[in-house]
Amino acid sequence: MEYIIGILLLLSFVGLAVYAVRGGNLMMGMLIMGIIWTALPLIGNTFATNPEFIASYPGVTDISFVDAITNVFQSGPEGWGSVLVNVVFGAWFGRVLLATGIADALIRKAVELGGDKPVIICVLLSTVTTAIFSTLFGAGAVVAIGVIILPILMSLGIPKTLSIGSFMMSVGAGMYLNPVLTGQFLAFFLDEEGKQMITYDDPARLKWAAVGVAVQLIMVIAMCVFALRKKKTVHAWNASAVRKARPGYVPTVALIAPILPVLLLVVFNIPIILGFTIGSFYALAVCGKLKSFRGACRVLNKDFYDGVVDTAPLVGFLLMIPMFNKAAELCVPYFNALLGNVIPNNTLVISIAFALLAPLGLFRGPFTLFGCGAATLGILKGIGFATPYLYALMVIPSVTMNVSICMTQSWIAWGVSYAKVSTREHLKQTLPVAWLVCVIMQAVTYIMFG
Amino acid sequence: MGKKEKWKRLMDAFGRKAAPEYEEKGYPQAGLREMAQTLSGTDARQWGKYAFHREPLEGKFTEEQKDAFTLRANACGKEWAKRIAGKYESRSPRKIAQKMGLKIRMDNTSRGGANVLFAQFVQPDEITLFADCIDRGCALREESGCALLERETLTDVLLAHELFHAVEERNAETIYTRTEKVELWRKPFSNRSSIACLSEIAAMAFAGRLLGLESSPYMLDVLLVYPYNKDMAWALYDEVCALVGK
Ligand SMILES: [Zn+2]
């Protein structure tokens, strides 16, 4: 009986993979998977006869129907509440950086330092982009920054594929540290009470994330230097949408605002929500947006609203994930029965597999948590690896493959169409570099957590 | 269907999720003819303002400096049009390109969207014209009343503009658009940079003089975007009007 259920679970997993790859709606996909992965183990539990199997999973194989559906459909999404709050505050902070013109000013400073030297410009703009997106999140933000940076890169004769590739991968580099995105990953690791098993400010995780930022940023810069060595620049006559009028005065001291919340968190242990709040008010104050109480209220309202709207499209999907996660826990005994002897309980083998097969994180494949990787994680959890290891293992392809280069990521689809490059050209430029980043990071992960 | 084609179809199928649109709407609408008329009356100094509005290093210059740069870049473009026409004994950009040993390529893929491509020069010796853009531009010849949109003229203008970039490339040591530099770093460090928009200003003046045009090819920025995206064309038109104070 265990085997039949196990096989059915595996089949549904393949179904999700096909569905995700074909571009199906993931919110619906997660909900349906949550239902299937609750129903199948419950049926299995009812008919299980092997006493040894039943005895080895107390509390799972003998769970009552009401307890099971409460765990999956009520406690699951409820437990995600704390993550949602972080996401909202992060989005607000991002909006403040855009509205005050700080992000704009940072880019202008970088360009005014680099001038017409494509390599210097690429290095500076990649670094600035990474710094900005170590806190900023959302398609709206990427587009807002992209329409400033991409025309600059192209007007300097930097080839389109390199412009778009380096920009999007720099955004992705920042995402390793990004509290909003990280919060979404952390939501995959909640215990029975809905408490986080690994937190943003966990020192080892934070160190690992910083290494991730550095590795990906260095690889992006290496990609630029390598691609520009032949100096085959392009002069294009094109017309693009107007740059918005530059917002008011931005003093130099305002330019540290983007990394302020993370800095406060790492150096002074100031919790991230307070960090976002301090960062926002710091930015608003030095840019002279807090002159009157009434004006301050209006700005606060507006930026908060815009920030929440930025994250809205994600929230639905992310509230379905915990249902699916909880359901996956019910499935653990069945996956173990079926795969316990097939998937090696050996971190070295798993790490090597993830390094070699990293492109499976593309197209919502089995290695990205924003695709059917959520199910892969469920299976791996069942085998019983340590949480920090599993976290790092899954986040690498999710960030470097999915969020950094995959066409199914909304802002990358935007950028690729904006720059007029084909999917193939884009992947040819970025995939080798992204793959290398994955290999390096999997090695780092094995050394740190394996 | 070839292997390449199949591969491309597969990739497109994977990446087919529609790209989100984040375009500005709500600019004052204007008729094509009206825009063409206003734009053709815009002078070189005013187009200089437009060019500098898109210049990454804009913040480094005062309005007076920008005007002076514009003046010199225009003079440079005209001067080189005279020289090149004399040297190759022709005013036809196609013939000059041939004599200079440049490859001219027609690209038939559509290059619309948030960023419309007209033509490009790729180092060291290749000029690409985007056919779709020319076709759509010509279709507006009657409606706009703009002589630049005559098929032959339009092709020549695009070619002449890119031709200037090739000329620049071959005379990088002496040509004004490359020798004019601005110091970006504080002492004792030094990073002297050329100013990207001067090349564009000069390329337009080059095309204008070589082909004896009455109005600046800069107006194509608006007119060639129009058949792809009216809102964007209006946005560009609005930008020009605001800069020249109309
Ligand atoms: Zn040009």
mmCIF file of all heavy atoms in Angstrom, chain A residues 21-22 111 113-117 139 160 231-233 235 237-239 242 244 246 420 424, chain B residues 7 14 16 58 111-112 115-116 118-121 123 184-185 191-194 221 239:
data_model
loop_
_atom_site.group_PDB
_atom_site.id
_atom_site.type_symbol
_atom_site.label_atom_id
_atom_site.label_comp_id
_atom_site.label_asym_id
_atom_site.label_seq_id
_atom_site.Cartn_x
_atom_site.Cartn_y
_atom_site.Cartn_z
ATOM 1 N N VAL A 21 6.183 23.958 -16.168
ATOM 2 C CA VAL A 21 7.008 24.239 -17.340
ATOM 3 C C VAL A 21 6.162 24.830 -18.459
ATOM 4 O O VAL A 21 6.596 25.700 -19.203
ATOM 5 C CB VAL A 21 7.730 22.955 -17.807
ATOM 6 C CG1 VAL A 21 8.268 23.116 -19.211
ATOM 7 C CG2 VAL A 21 8.856 22.618 -16.847
ATOM 8 N N ARG A 22 4.912 24.369 -18.560
ATOM 9 C CA ARG A 22 4.055 24.893 -19.629
ATOM 10 C C ARG A 22 3.470 26.255 -19.292
ATOM 11 O O ARG A 22 2.660 26.792 -20.035
ATOM 12 C CB ARG A 22 2.935 23.899 -19.929
ATOM 13 C CG ARG A 22 3.464 22.605 -20.533
ATOM 14 C CD ARG A 22 2.359 21.678 -20.913
ATOM 15 N NE ARG A 22 1.446 22.311 -21.867
ATOM 16 C CZ ARG A 22 0.374 21.703 -22.355
ATOM 17 N NH1 ARG A 22 0.078 20.483 -21.978
ATOM 18 N NH2 ARG A 22 -0.406 22.316 -23.215
ATOM 19 N N VAL A 111 27.570 56.421 -13.113
ATOM 20 C CA VAL A 111 27.819 56.720 -14.522
ATOM 21 C C VAL A 111 28.806 57.878 -14.659
ATOM 22 O O VAL A 111 29.691 57.871 -15.509
ATOM 23 C CB VAL A 111 26.502 57.068 -15.238
ATOM 24 C CG1 VAL A 111 26.774 57.578 -16.635
ATOM 25 C CG2 VAL A 111 25.621 55.844 -15.296
ATOM 26 N N LEU A 113 31.128 58.554 -12.776
ATOM 27 C CA LEU A 113 32.481 58.085 -12.448
ATOM 28 C C LEU A 113 33.073 57.273 -13.589
ATOM 29 O O LEU A 113 34.270 57.263 -13.818
ATOM 30 C CB LEU A 113 32.457 57.220 -11.176
ATOM 31 C CG LEU A 113 32.443 57.968 -9.852
ATOM 32 C CD1 LEU A 113 32.333 56.979 -8.701
ATOM 33 C CD2 LEU A 113 33.698 58.817 -9.701
ATOM 34 N N GLY A 114 32.198 56.548 -14.294
ATOM 35 C CA GLY A 114 32.694 55.629 -15.318
ATOM 36 C C GLY A 114 32.910 56.272 -16.672
ATOM 37 O O GLY A 114 33.828 55.900 -17.394
ATOM 38 N N GLY A 115 32.058 57.240 -17.022
ATOM 39 C CA GLY A 115 32.195 57.896 -18.318
ATOM 40 C C GLY A 115 32.020 56.935 -19.468
ATOM 41 O O GLY A 115 31.089 56.145 -19.494
ATOM 42 N N ASP A 116 32.927 56.993 -20.432
ATOM 43 C CA ASP A 116 32.764 56.181 -21.638
ATOM 44 C C ASP A 116 33.563 54.885 -21.589
ATOM 45 O O ASP A 116 33.774 54.245 -22.614
ATOM 46 C CB ASP A 116 33.167 56.991 -22.880
ATOM 47 C CG ASP A 116 34.635 57.392 -22.827
ATOM 48 O OD1 ASP A 116 35.264 57.191 -21.779
ATOM 49 O OD2 ASP A 116 35.144 57.915 -23.833
ATOM 50 N N LYS A 117 34.031 54.479 -20.403
ATOM 51 C CA LYS A 117 34.791 53.231 -20.296
ATOM 52 C C LYS A 117 33.828 52.082 -19.990
ATOM 53 O O LYS A 117 33.379 51.946 -18.846
ATOM 54 C CB LYS A 117 35.833 53.323 -19.171
ATOM 55 C CG LYS A 117 36.665 54.604 -19.149
ATOM 56 C CD LYS A 117 37.663 54.674 -20.290
ATOM 57 C CE LYS A 117 38.514 55.925 -20.214
ATOM 58 N NZ LYS A 117 37.715 57.190 -20.349
ATOM 59 N N ALA A 139 8.803 43.462 -9.421
ATOM 60 C CA ALA A 139 8.942 43.736 -10.846
ATOM 61 C C ALA A 139 8.895 45.242 -11.110
ATOM 62 O O ALA A 139 9.645 45.758 -11.942
ATOM 63 C CB ALA A 139 7.835 43.029 -11.625
ATOM 64 N N LYS A 160 23.574 44.492 -26.519
ATOM 65 C CA LYS A 160 22.298 44.349 -25.823
ATOM 66 C C LYS A 160 22.257 43.123 -24.914
ATOM 67 O O LYS A 160 21.774 43.184 -23.790
ATOM 68 C CB LYS A 160 21.163 44.230 -26.842
ATOM 69 C CG LYS A 160 20.918 45.467 -27.629
ATOM 70 C CD LYS A 160 19.974 45.175 -28.784
ATOM 71 C CE LYS A 160 20.613 44.241 -29.777
ATOM 72 N NZ LYS A 160 19.777 43.863 -30.901
ATOM 73 N N LYS A 231 36.183 44.648 -27.547
ATOM 74 C CA LYS A 231 35.766 46.021 -27.846
ATOM 75 C C LYS A 231 34.896 46.096 -29.102
ATOM 76 O O LYS A 231 35.038 47.004 -29.910
ATOM 77 C CB LYS A 231 36.991 46.927 -28.021
ATOM 78 C CG LYS A 231 37.553 47.393 -26.693
ATOM 79 C CD LYS A 231 38.544 48.514 -26.888
ATOM 80 C CE LYS A 231 37.858 49.856 -26.898
ATOM 81 N NZ LYS A 231 38.804 50.956 -27.124
ATOM 82 N N LYS A 232 34.040 45.136 -29.267
ATOM 83 C CA LYS A 232 33.169 45.170 -30.439
ATOM 84 C C LYS A 232 31.888 45.893 -30.056
ATOM 85 O O LYS A 232 30.855 45.293 -29.821
ATOM 86 C CB LYS A 232 32.857 43.747 -30.889
ATOM 87 C CG LYS A 232 32.309 43.697 -32.303
ATOM 88 C CD LYS A 232 32.070 42.286 -32.761
ATOM 89 C CE LYS A 232 31.486 42.292 -34.154
ATOM 90 N NZ LYS A 232 31.236 40.958 -34.660
ATOM 91 N N THR A 233 31.978 47.221 -29.990
ATOM 92 C CA THR A 233 30.817 47.967 -29.507
ATOM 93 C C THR A 233 29.812 48.215 -30.621
ATOM 94 O O THR A 233 30.115 48.094 -31.790
ATOM 95 C CB THR A 233 31.240 49.312 -28.890
ATOM 96 O OG1 THR A 233 31.996 50.019 -29.858
ATOM 97 C CG2 THR A 233 32.047 49.109 -27.645
ATOM 98 N N HIS A 235 26.813 50.878 -32.073
ATOM 99 C CA HIS A 235 26.153 52.181 -32.038
ATOM 100 C C HIS A 235 24.756 51.992 -32.583
ATOM 101 O O HIS A 235 24.597 51.803 -33.780
ATOM 102 C CB HIS A 235 26.879 53.188 -32.928
ATOM 103 C CG HIS A 235 28.050 53.804 -32.272
ATOM 104 N ND1 HIS A 235 27.947 54.862 -31.416
ATOM 105 C CD2 HIS A 235 29.357 53.490 -32.323
ATOM 106 C CE1 HIS A 235 29.142 55.185 -30.979
ATOM 107 N NE2 HIS A 235 30.025 54.371 -31.507
ATOM 108 N N TRP A 237 20.914 53.375 -33.333
ATOM 109 C CA TRP A 237 20.001 54.520 -33.358
ATOM 110 C C TRP A 237 18.649 53.969 -32.954
ATOM 111 O O TRP A 237 18.048 53.203 -33.693
ATOM 112 C CB TRP A 237 19.965 55.134 -34.748
ATOM 113 C CG TRP A 237 19.076 56.354 -34.832
ATOM 114 C CD1 TRP A 237 18.354 56.923 -33.829
ATOM 115 C CD2 TRP A 237 18.843 57.144 -35.991
ATOM 116 N NE1 TRP A 237 17.688 58.015 -34.282
ATOM 117 C CE2 TRP A 237 17.957 58.185 -35.605
ATOM 118 C CE3 TRP A 237 19.279 57.093 -37.315
ATOM 119 C CZ2 TRP A 237 17.507 59.149 -36.495
ATOM 120 C CZ3 TRP A 237 18.829 58.051 -38.201
ATOM 121 C CH2 TRP A 237 17.951 59.083 -37.798
ATOM 122 N N ASN A 238 18.230 54.341 -31.784
ATOM 123 C CA ASN A 238 16.948 53.849 -31.296
ATOM 124 C C ASN A 238 16.249 54.963 -30.529
ATOM 125 O O ASN A 238 16.848 55.980 -30.227
ATOM 126 C CB ASN A 238 17.139 52.621 -30.412
ATOM 127 C CG ASN A 238 18.037 52.908 -29.242
ATOM 128 O OD1 ASN A 238 18.510 54.024 -29.057
ATOM 129 N ND2 ASN A 238 18.284 51.907 -28.430
ATOM 130 N N ALA A 239 14.996 54.744 -30.259
ATOM 131 C CA ALA A 239 14.275 55.704 -29.436
ATOM 132 C C ALA A 239 13.581 54.931 -28.339
ATOM 133 O O ALA A 239 12.977 53.903 -28.595
ATOM 134 C CB ALA A 239 13.254 56.459 -30.276
ATOM 135 N N VAL A 242 10.701 58.043 -22.514
ATOM 136 C CA VAL A 242 11.406 59.119 -21.817
ATOM 137 C C VAL A 242 11.766 58.751 -20.395
ATOM 138 O O VAL A 242 11.037 58.037 -19.715
ATOM 139 C CB VAL A 242 10.527 60.387 -21.732
ATOM 140 C CG1 VAL A 242 10.909 61.352 -22.785
ATOM 141 C CG2 VAL A 242 9.069 60.033 -21.757
ATOM 142 N N LYS A 244 11.838 59.746 -16.678
ATOM 143 C CA LYS A 244 11.036 60.681 -15.891
ATOM 144 C C LYS A 244 11.918 61.822 -15.412
ATOM 145 O O LYS A 244 13.111 61.652 -15.226
ATOM 146 C CB LYS A 244 10.447 59.947 -14.697
ATOM 147 C CG LYS A 244 9.082 59.388 -15.032
ATOM 148 C CD LYS A 244 8.390 58.956 -13.753
ATOM 149 C CE LYS A 244 7.622 57.688 -13.988
ATOM 150 N NZ LYS A 244 8.090 56.574 -13.230
ATOM 151 N N ARG A 246 13.869 64.180 -13.138
ATOM 152 C CA ARG A 246 14.576 63.760 -11.923
ATOM 153 C C ARG A 246 13.918 64.338 -10.692
ATOM 154 O O ARG A 246 13.647 65.529 -10.621
ATOM 155 C CB ARG A 246 16.027 64.205 -12.012
ATOM 156 C CG ARG A 246 16.765 63.329 -12.968
ATOM 157 C CD ARG A 246 18.229 63.669 -12.997
ATOM 158 N NE ARG A 246 18.847 62.855 -14.022
ATOM 159 C CZ ARG A 246 19.685 63.317 -14.927
ATOM 160 N NH1 ARG A 246 20.019 64.581 -14.913
ATOM 161 N NH2 ARG A 246 20.205 62.511 -15.803
ATOM 162 N N LYS A 420 15.290 43.765 -26.882
ATOM 163 C CA LYS A 420 15.181 43.125 -28.193
ATOM 164 C C LYS A 420 16.230 42.033 -28.365
ATOM 165 O O LYS A 420 16.981 42.024 -29.344
ATOM 166 C CB LYS A 420 15.373 44.138 -29.333
ATOM 167 C CG LYS A 420 14.525 45.337 -29.278
ATOM 168 C CD LYS A 420 13.185 45.027 -29.855
ATOM 169 C CE LYS A 420 12.217 46.132 -29.548
ATOM 170 N NZ LYS A 420 12.434 46.808 -28.290
ATOM 171 N N ARG A 424 17.071 32.773 -26.772
ATOM 172 C CA ARG A 424 18.251 31.960 -27.003
ATOM 173 C C ARG A 424 19.538 32.775 -26.772
ATOM 174 O O ARG A 424 20.443 32.329 -26.083
ATOM 175 C CB ARG A 424 18.216 31.450 -28.448
ATOM 176 C CG ARG A 424 18.758 30.060 -28.570
ATOM 177 C CD ARG A 424 18.555 29.540 -29.975
ATOM 178 N NE ARG A 424 19.845 29.144 -30.476
ATOM 179 C CZ ARG A 424 20.401 29.675 -31.547
ATOM 180 N NH1 ARG A 424 19.785 30.617 -32.215
ATOM 181 N NH2 ARG A 424 21.571 29.250 -31.937
ATOM 182 N N TRP B 7 14.306 24.643 -32.247
ATOM 183 C CA TRP B 7 14.909 25.015 -30.966
ATOM 184 C C TRP B 7 14.358 26.363 -30.507
ATOM 185 O O TRP B 7 14.000 26.554 -29.359
ATOM 186 C CB TRP B 7 16.423 25.063 -31.158
ATOM 187 C CG TRP B 7 17.202 25.627 -30.020
ATOM 188 C CD1 TRP B 7 17.919 26.783 -30.018
ATOM 189 C CD2 TRP B 7 17.367 25.068 -28.700
ATOM 190 N NE1 TRP B 7 18.506 26.984 -28.812
ATOM 191 C CE2 TRP B 7 18.184 25.962 -27.976
ATOM 192 C CE3 TRP B 7 16.889 23.928 -28.058
ATOM 193 C CZ2 TRP B 7 18.548 25.731 -26.657
ATOM 194 C CZ3 TRP B 7 17.250 23.707 -26.741
ATOM 195 C CH2 TRP B 7 18.064 24.592 -26.054
ATOM 196 N N PHE B 14 8.607 27.933 -23.921
ATOM 197 C CA PHE B 14 8.919 27.987 -22.489
ATOM 198 C C PHE B 14 8.784 29.396 -21.953
ATOM 199 O O PHE B 14 8.283 29.627 -20.878
ATOM 200 C CB PHE B 14 10.346 27.502 -22.236
ATOM 201 C CG PHE B 14 10.461 26.019 -22.152
ATOM 202 C CD1 PHE B 14 11.461 25.345 -22.837
ATOM 203 C CD2 PHE B 14 9.578 25.296 -21.385
ATOM 204 C CE1 PHE B 14 11.574 23.976 -22.769
ATOM 205 C CE2 PHE B 14 9.678 23.923 -21.313
ATOM 206 C CZ PHE B 14 10.674 23.260 -22.003
ATOM 207 N N ARG B 16 7.016 31.828 -22.983
ATOM 208 C CA ARG B 16 5.956 32.549 -23.669
ATOM 209 C C ARG B 16 5.152 33.451 -22.766
ATOM 210 O O ARG B 16 4.354 34.244 -23.228
ATOM 211 C CB ARG B 16 5.069 31.554 -24.397
ATOM 212 C CG ARG B 16 3.717 31.244 -23.751
ATOM 213 C CD ARG B 16 3.084 30.117 -24.467
ATOM 214 N NE ARG B 16 3.229 28.905 -23.675
ATOM 215 C CZ ARG B 16 2.198 28.273 -23.140
ATOM 216 N NH1 ARG B 16 1.002 28.691 -23.347
ATOM 217 N NH2 ARG B 16 2.374 27.193 -22.404
ATOM 218 N N GLU B 58 25.029 64.137 -18.346
ATOM 219 C CA GLU B 58 24.400 65.450 -18.420
ATOM 220 C C GLU B 58 24.683 66.317 -17.186
ATOM 221 O O GLU B 58 24.950 67.507 -17.297
ATOM 222 C CB GLU B 58 22.881 65.318 -18.598
ATOM 223 C CG GLU B 58 22.210 66.628 -18.934
ATOM 224 C CD GLU B 58 20.813 66.716 -18.356
ATOM 225 O OE1 GLU B 58 20.335 65.730 -17.787
ATOM 226 O OE2 GLU B 58 20.210 67.795 -18.469
ATOM 227 N N ARG B 111 11.386 45.009 -34.607
ATOM 228 C CA ARG B 111 12.086 45.470 -33.415
ATOM 229 C C ARG B 111 11.287 46.541 -32.690
ATOM 230 O O ARG B 111 11.777 47.614 -32.392
ATOM 231 C CB ARG B 111 13.464 46.006 -33.796
ATOM 232 C CG ARG B 111 14.339 44.992 -34.469
ATOM 233 C CD ARG B 111 14.993 44.113 -33.429
ATOM 234 N NE ARG B 111 15.636 42.967 -34.042
ATOM 235 C CZ ARG B 111 16.616 42.282 -33.469
ATOM 236 N NH1 ARG B 111 17.066 42.612 -32.291
ATOM 237 N NH2 ARG B 111 17.125 41.232 -34.060
ATOM 238 N N GLY B 112 10.019 46.252 -32.469
ATOM 239 C CA GLY B 112 9.184 47.228 -31.779
ATOM 240 C C GLY B 112 9.285 47.067 -30.272
ATOM 241 O O GLY B 112 10.254 46.548 -29.763
ATOM 242 N N ASN B 115 11.332 49.953 -26.878
ATOM 243 C CA ASN B 115 12.583 50.545 -27.312
ATOM 244 C C ASN B 115 12.726 50.213 -28.795
ATOM 245 O O ASN B 115 13.078 49.101 -29.144
ATOM 246 C CB ASN B 115 13.705 49.936 -26.468
ATOM 247 C CG ASN B 115 15.071 50.399 -26.888
ATOM 248 O OD1 ASN B 115 15.229 51.436 -27.517
ATOM 249 N ND2 ASN B 115 16.063 49.620 -26.545
ATOM 250 N N VAL B 116 12.406 51.167 -29.656
ATOM 251 C CA VAL B 116 12.370 50.877 -31.090
ATOM 252 C C VAL B 116 13.742 51.109 -31.716
ATOM 253 O O VAL B 116 14.343 52.164 -31.558
ATOM 254 C CB VAL B 116 11.319 51.756 -31.802
ATOM 255 C CG1 VAL B 116 11.260 51.417 -33.271
ATOM 256 C CG2 VAL B 116 9.960 51.575 -31.155
ATOM 257 N N PHE B 118 16.129 51.544 -34.972
ATOM 258 C CA PHE B 118 16.058 51.964 -36.376
ATOM 259 C C PHE B 118 17.192 51.332 -37.185
ATOM 260 O O PHE B 118 16.983 50.761 -38.241
ATOM 261 C CB PHE B 118 16.162 53.478 -36.501
ATOM 262 C CG PHE B 118 15.173 54.242 -35.660
ATOM 263 C CD1 PHE B 118 15.362 55.591 -35.414
ATOM 264 C CD2 PHE B 118 14.049 53.631 -35.114
ATOM 265 C CE1 PHE B 118 14.459 56.313 -34.641
ATOM 266 C CE2 PHE B 118 13.139 54.340 -34.347
ATOM 267 C CZ PHE B 118 13.355 55.690 -34.110
ATOM 268 N N ALA B 119 18.408 51.504 -36.682
ATOM 269 C CA ALA B 119 19.587 51.038 -37.409
ATOM 270 C C ALA B 119 20.740 50.948 -36.426
ATOM 271 O O ALA B 119 20.668 51.517 -35.338
ATOM 272 C CB ALA B 119 19.941 52.024 -38.516
ATOM 273 N N GLN B 120 21.776 50.221 -36.798
ATOM 274 C CA GLN B 120 22.933 50.179 -35.912
ATOM 275 C C GLN B 120 24.237 49.970 -36.673
ATOM 276 O O GLN B 120 24.258 49.451 -37.783
ATOM 277 C CB GLN B 120 22.769 49.090 -34.847
ATOM 278 C CG GLN B 120 22.715 47.683 -35.416
ATOM 279 C CD GLN B 120 22.445 46.642 -34.358
ATOM 280 O OE1 GLN B 120 21.887 46.956 -33.311
ATOM 281 N NE2 GLN B 120 22.835 45.414 -34.618
ATOM 282 N N PHE B 121 25.338 50.433 -36.045
ATOM 283 C CA PHE B 121 26.665 50.204 -36.593
ATOM 284 C C PHE B 121 27.424 49.328 -35.601
ATOM 285 O O PHE B 121 27.530 49.661 -34.425
ATOM 286 C CB PHE B 121 27.402 51.532 -36.781
ATOM 287 C CG PHE B 121 28.872 51.370 -37.067
ATOM 288 C CD1 PHE B 121 29.309 50.820 -38.275
ATOM 289 C CD2 PHE B 121 29.825 51.744 -36.130
ATOM 290 C CE1 PHE B 121 30.660 50.651 -38.528
ATOM 291 C CE2 PHE B 121 31.178 51.577 -36.382
ATOM 292 C CZ PHE B 121 31.597 51.026 -37.585
ATOM 293 N N GLN B 123 30.994 47.577 -34.695
ATOM 294 C CA GLN B 123 32.418 47.596 -35.012
ATOM 295 C C GLN B 123 32.855 46.247 -35.567
ATOM 296 O O GLN B 123 32.380 45.239 -35.084
ATOM 297 C CB GLN B 123 33.216 47.895 -33.734
ATOM 298 C CG GLN B 123 33.350 49.348 -33.463
ATOM 299 C CD GLN B 123 34.114 49.579 -32.171
ATOM 300 O OE1 GLN B 123 34.720 48.676 -31.611
ATOM 301 N NE2 GLN B 123 34.083 50.795 -31.698
ATOM 302 N N LEU B 184 36.466 63.255 -15.266
ATOM 303 C CA LEU B 184 35.424 62.792 -14.348
ATOM 304 C C LEU B 184 35.919 62.598 -12.919
ATOM 305 O O LEU B 184 35.133 62.619 -11.978
ATOM 306 C CB LEU B 184 34.848 61.467 -14.851
ATOM 307 C CG LEU B 184 34.157 61.496 -16.213
ATOM 308 C CD1 LEU B 184 33.706 60.102 -16.590
ATOM 309 C CD2 LEU B 184 32.974 62.443 -16.199
ATOM 310 N N TRP B 185 37.207 62.342 -12.764
ATOM 311 C CA TRP B 185 37.707 62.023 -11.423
ATOM 312 C C TRP B 185 38.453 63.188 -10.829
ATOM 313 O O TRP B 185 38.969 64.047 -11.518
ATOM 314 C CB TRP B 185 38.609 60.773 -11.473
ATOM 315 C CG TRP B 185 37.857 59.531 -11.812
ATOM 316 C CD1 TRP B 185 36.515 59.440 -12.035
ATOM 317 C CD2 TRP B 185 38.381 58.222 -12.010
ATOM 318 N NE1 TRP B 185 36.171 58.152 -12.346
ATOM 319 C CE2 TRP B 185 37.298 57.379 -12.334
ATOM 320 C CE3 TRP B 185 39.663 57.661 -11.935
ATOM 321 C CZ2 TRP B 185 37.446 56.027 -12.585
ATOM 322 C CZ3 TRP B 185 39.825 56.307 -12.177
ATOM 323 C CH2 TRP B 185 38.725 55.494 -12.500
ATOM 324 N N ASN B 191 40.143 60.184 -15.162
ATOM 325 C CA ASN B 191 39.383 59.375 -16.106
ATOM 326 C C ASN B 191 38.743 60.338 -17.086
ATOM 327 O O ASN B 191 37.731 60.957 -16.792
ATOM 328 C CB ASN B 191 38.319 58.549 -15.377
ATOM 329 C CG ASN B 191 37.463 57.745 -16.335
ATOM 330 O OD1 ASN B 191 37.789 57.626 -17.518
ATOM 331 N ND2 ASN B 191 36.363 57.202 -15.842
ATOM 332 N N ARG B 192 39.381 60.524 -18.213
ATOM 333 C CA ARG B 192 38.865 61.461 -19.202
ATOM 334 C C ARG B 192 37.942 60.714 -20.149
ATOM 335 O O ARG B 192 38.326 59.727 -20.748
ATOM 336 C CB ARG B 192 40.015 62.130 -19.945
ATOM 337 C CG ARG B 192 40.799 63.103 -19.046
ATOM 338 C CD ARG B 192 42.109 63.526 -19.678
ATOM 339 N NE ARG B 192 41.903 64.155 -20.979
ATOM 340 C CZ ARG B 192 41.444 65.401 -21.155
ATOM 341 N NH1 ARG B 192 41.168 66.137 -20.110
ATOM 342 N NH2 ARG B 192 41.284 65.894 -22.355
ATOM 343 N N SER B 193 36.716 61.222 -20.247
ATOM 344 C CA SER B 193 35.706 60.501 -21.017
ATOM 345 C C SER B 193 35.197 61.352 -22.168
ATOM 346 O O SER B 193 35.096 62.571 -22.051
ATOM 347 C CB SER B 193 34.535 60.160 -20.094
ATOM 348 O OG SER B 193 33.418 59.781 -20.855
ATOM 349 N N SER B 194 34.882 60.698 -23.273
ATOM 350 C CA SER B 194 34.213 61.441 -24.337
ATOM 351 C C SER B 194 32.728 61.515 -23.997
ATOM 352 O O SER B 194 32.255 60.855 -23.079
ATOM 353 C CB SER B 194 34.433 60.766 -25.684
ATOM 354 O OG SER B 194 34.066 59.421 -25.600
ATOM 355 N N ASP B 221 13.023 60.184 -34.436
ATOM 356 C CA ASP B 221 12.863 59.583 -33.110
ATOM 357 C C ASP B 221 11.384 59.473 -32.745
ATOM 358 O O ASP B 221 10.943 58.493 -32.159
ATOM 359 C CB ASP B 221 13.575 60.426 -32.048
ATOM 360 C CG ASP B 221 15.010 59.959 -31.826
ATOM 361 O OD1 ASP B 221 15.550 59.300 -32.732
ATOM 362 O OD2 ASP B 221 15.560 60.241 -30.747
ATOM 363 N N GLU B 239 8.240 65.403 -24.635
ATOM 364 C CA GLU B 239 9.574 65.685 -24.098
ATOM 365 C C GLU B 239 10.258 66.780 -24.923
ATOM 366 O O GLU B 239 10.803 67.738 -24.371
ATOM 367 C CB GLU B 239 10.411 64.398 -24.127
ATOM 368 C CG GLU B 239 11.803 64.563 -23.543
ATOM 369 C CD GLU B 239 12.660 63.318 -23.765
ATOM 370 O OE1 GLU B 239 12.121 62.296 -24.214
ATOM 371 O OE2 GLU B 239 13.871 63.396 -23.505
#
